[in-house]
Amino acid sequence: QVQLVESGGGLVQPGGSLRLSCAASGRIFVIYAMGWYRQAPGKQRELVATITSGSNTNYADSVKGRFTISRDNAQRTVYLQMNSLKPEDTAVYYCNADLSTTSLVRKDYWGQGTQVTVSS
């Protein structure tokens, strides 16, 4: 089974920085894209950033210029560098992977989430 494990969350003051990591493991054939989503209390889960296997990136307007998504060469680990953090960035951040486990089976997988709290 595929597993996504996030790390790097925590408490940070406004204006601070944090880097999240997500490592994919298990039987993986091809990873087409990985990304980060977040969900604040009482809110819908929203896209933060995605990166494809071709290194094409997409960001939510609210984080453009502040967050950077990247991946390692093996494309099994994705990172989210979060700078100039704001209280409204507070949420549980979830890693997502669009991948295939065989040449015929492709679907989304989700991590367990990591809490990011931006507060003074």
Side-chain angles (χ1 to χ4, degrees):
Q1 295 289 345
V2 174
Q3 185 177 26
L4 304 180
V5 179
E6 302 103 330
S7 62
L11 175 64
V12 65
Q13 293 186 358
S17 297
L18 212 58
R19 191 176 82 150
L20 306 183
S21 299
C22 173
S25 63
R27 182 63 179 268
I28 299 170
F29 188 65
V30 175
I31 298 177
Y32 300 97
M34 297 184 73
W36 292 94
Y37 293 71
R38 67 187 181 187
Q39 187 168 24
K43 303 293 185 180
Q44 296 276 347
R45 187 173 298 187
E46 64 176 354
L47 181 147
V48 177
T50 60
I51 185 167
T52 70
S53 59
S55 297
N56 189 35
T57 59
N58 179 253
Y59 296 92
D61 288 341
S62 60
V63 307
K64 286 180 180 177
R66 299 189 298 120
F67 292 8
T68 302
I69 189 169
S70 61
R71 56 169 172 79
D72 64 10
N73 291 332
Q75 302 186 30
R76 287 200 171 198
T77 303
V78 65
Y79 306 93
L80 185 68
Q81 179 65 47
M82 309 164 67
N83 298 327
S84 302
L85 283 162
K86 304 175 180 180
E88 49 262 48
D89 295 318
T90 296
V92 177
Y93 284 69
Y94 296 91
C95 180
N96 170 265
D98 171 16
L99 59 82
S100 61
T101 54
T102 71
S103 63
L104 299 176
V105 180
R106 174 180 175 178
K107 66 178 182 179
D108 285 330
Y109 290 84
W110 293 90
Q112 81 287 349
T114 185
Q115 177 70 48
V116 172
T117 302
V118 184
S119 176
S120 59

